[in-house]
Amino acid sequence: MSQIHVLVINCGSSSVKFSIINTRSGEAVLTGLAERLLSNKASFTLHYQQQSEHFSLQAPYDHQAAVAALVQQLSKLELLEILSAVGHRVVHGGEQFCQPALITKEVKQAIADLSRLAPLHNPANLTGIHAAEKALGHLPQVAVFDTAFHQSMPKKAYLYGLPYALYQEHAIRKYGFHGSSHSFVAGQAANFIGKPASQCSFISAHLGNGCSITAIQAGQSVDSSMGFTPLEGVVMGSRSGDVDPGIIFHLIEHLAYSPEQVHQLLNKDSGLLGLSGLSNDCRELEQAAFQQGNHRAKLALEIFCYRIAKYIAALCAGLTSLDGLIFTGGIGENSSYVREQIINQLSLLNFHLDQDKNRETRFGKSDDISTPSSRYALVIPTNEEGVIASQSVQVLQEAI
Ligand code: AMP
């Protein structure tokens, strides 16, 4: 294939994140974001060749309008011609998709059917696919699923202690998310330590606004903290992570919460935001905790780090050996405070921190932040867009 640029589209409920990736160099030629969609504050930002463009979107302020504006900009910049494909991030692929897929009528139907498992995400992803097909119908479109990497989990890891019929009849099981990120950083980590991925075992911690921890053996996911939905697992920006399900009955029966209110509470009002009462943003909380002496911000961060360390230790049960720990995502790549707390909590597993390296490793730098006697503690910047682009090209090459 002579042309190697892929437009990657990541459609959320009120945003479209996009980038053009050169799959040969892995570099992003252009990046941008349309946000606050479906409101009259909808805006569009594009970064290209050290220049940024920012403008308000015109009515109807929807995903279609965002993709149309993107195509207009790409046409103006003469970038439409260089595109070989459009790669879409699709959150839920259920048990059906353990690989990326060329988008056909059947694949779109399957993504729509899987909306019952991801009502917040799959409909938005599908909207992005429809908008891109309308505007860029001449290009092949590929779906890359967040859950696909975790389809290698064994039954003992993905089944809940619930009646088996709920799995058989309603597909209720653990799926795991952030698959593109976990698989990418595990591959990079194997390169870093100079061992074939097939001989490596890692625990990977993707810590961003959403957070998940995955046990990876021989390049395959064997267990992960997120579950049936991305709500399970560690404390996140505004999601609670694990709670006793009994709390939900208590909220409904004794505190008059409706199902919608419980949903809002656990997904939007909890996590770092709920605990601190201040923000879901780790950087803001670190400032509040350590520059302004805000105790609740400090407590929120302590709980966040402790629960992550607890999950890392628990997920070791899924591995037969352990080379090291990988930190990625906005927090994992940048917060030396969070990494220090987590590693200090894990000295029993022989993780020990090199303070200087920890302080110096941020802003897109990869490094081992452990002492020589420790297991590896690697910081590896993720590149979900790069994975989506390269997997899209792979799908096209296989389809030829
Ligand atoms: P992501 O969802 O991967 O973009 O990550 C977003 C999270 O990364 C937010 O909580 C940010 O506050 C956090 N983050 C980004 N840069 C830093 C930093 N320098 N220090 C601490 N947290 C950071």
Side-chain angles (χ1 to χ4, degrees):
M1 192 168 291
S2 58
Q3 292 181 316
I4 45 160
H5 291 91
V6 175
L7 172 63
V8 174
I9 293 188
N10 180 356
C11 229
S13 53
S14 63
S15 67
V16 182
K17 215 169 136 187
F18 50 84
S19 47
I20 294 179
I21 306 290
N22 177 333
T23 55
R24 225 162 257 168
S25 67
E27 269 170 41
V29 173
L30 170 147
T31 60
L33 174 70
E35 55 187 334
R36 298 197 191 97
L37 298 178
L38 311 174
S39 82
N40 59 8
K41 294 200 184 103
S43 65
F44 189 100
T45 310
L46 186 137
H47 308 285
Y48 178 60
Q49 292 185 338
Q50 273 104 44
Q51 305 258 343
S52 293
E53 190 146 346
H54 183 81
F55 54 87
S56 297
L57 267 183
Q58 301 302 309
Y61 318 115
D62 58 7
H63 296 78
Q64 202 109 291
V67 175
L70 168 63
V71 171
Q72 204 178 18
Q73 293 298 313
L74 297 185
S75 165
K76 212 167 83 182
L77 297 167
E78 297 181 357
L79 289 173
L80 279 179
E81 305 78 67
I82 68 166
L83 297 176
S84 303
V86 185
H88 295 269
R89 177 184 182 212
V90 178
V91 167
H92 219 306
E95 289 191 328
Q96 215 167 323
F97 296 103
C98 54
Q99 298 288 342
L102 189 65
I103 296 177
T104 59
K105 214 166 93 199
E106 292 73 30
V107 168
K108 278 187 282 184
Q109 187 56 50
I111 295 170
D113 293 344
L114 286 163
S115 290
R116 72 187 193 290
L117 301 180
L120 297 179
H121 298 98
N122 274 32
N125 301 152
L126 210 49
T127 309
I129 291 170
H130 288 140
E133 279 182 334
K134 195 160 176 220
L136 299 162
H138 59 290
L139 292 174
Q141 317 264 328
V142 178
V144 178
F145 300 91
D146 245 27
T147 48
F149 177 60
H150 300 293
Q151 280 299 300
S152 50
M153 286 192 287
K155 246 184 179 150
K156 67 180 177 188
Y158 72 69
L159 285 183
Y160 292 106
L162 290 168
Y164 196 69
L166 284 176
Y167 166 58
Q168 284 179 305
E169 291 163 28
H170 301 287
I172 294 180
R173 52 159 284 181
K174 180 189 277 286
Y175 288 97
F177 297 87
H178 290 142
S180 301
S181 176
H182 289 298
S183 68
F184 174 76
V185 296
Q188 296 290 107
N191 288 343
F192 191 99
I193 69 172
K195 257 171 92 172
S198 60
Q199 289 168 24
C200 289
S201 299
F202 294 111
I203 299 279
S204 137
H206 177 108
L207 309 178
N209 217 352
C211 302
S212 68
I213 320 293
T214 295
I216 300 164
Q217 177 113 30
Q220 296 202 313
S221 167
V222 293
D223 202 351
S224 194
S225 62
M226 282 182 170
F228 179 61
T229 72
L231 184 54
E232 189 183 342
V234 295
V235 168
M236 308 178 213
S238 66
R239 286 178 231 155
S240 63
D242 293 350
V243 294
D244 177 351
I247 294 169
I248 297 172
F249 302 118
H250 185 83
L251 291 170
I252 293 172
E253 287 164 16
H254 299 289
L255 301 175
Y257 273 64
S258 66
E260 293 72 29
Q261 286 171 321
V262 174
H263 190 279
Q264 167 79 19
L265 177 85
L266 298 179
N267 281 290
K268 301 268 166 73
D269 301 338
S270 295
L272 290 173
L273 172 66
L275 285 164
S276 68
L278 193 69
S279 171
N280 64 341
D281 188 283
C282 181
R283 206 171 358 189
E284 272 177 48
L285 291 184
E286 286 186 25
Q287 263 164 20
F290 306 115
Q291 287 168 27
Q292 292 141 31
N294 184 313
H295 295 294
R296 282 263 300 280
K298 183 154 185 282
L299 179 65
L301 289 168
E302 279 171 8
I303 295 167
F304 178 76
C305 296
Y306 176 67
R307 289 211 169 225
I308 290 166
K310 199 160 97 169
Y311 247 105
I312 290 169
L315 284 169
C316 287
L319 300 173
T320 54
S321 60
L322 178 63
D323 289 290
L325 180 58
I326 308 166
F327 289 102
T328 194
I331 299 173
E333 291 166 30
N334 295 298
S335 172
S336 48
Y337 170 79
V338 166
R339 295 186 305 231
E340 179 177 353
Q341 299 307 301
I342 294 170
I343 288 177
N344 287 348
Q345 197 74 50
L346 292 170
S347 55
L348 211 63
L349 291 178
N350 193 23
F351 284 106
H352 305 287
L353 187 73
D354 180 319
Q355 302 271 2
D356 293 335
K357 278 186 164 179
N358 184 38
R359 256 193 309 272
E360 288 155 14
T361 308
R362 50 212 300 232
F363 306 136
K365 233 177 110 185
S366 294
D367 210 346
D368 174 18
I369 55 169
S370 68
T371 61
S373 65
S374 165
R375 282 185 213 276
Y376 286 107
L378 304 171
V379 177
I380 312 252
T382 195
N383 185 358
E384 288 171 288
E385 283 77 18
V387 173
I388 293 170
S390 63
Q391 292 197 349
S392 299
V393 170
Q394 227 170 304
V395 166
L396 296 185
Q397 283 168 342
E398 282 162 15
I400 288 170

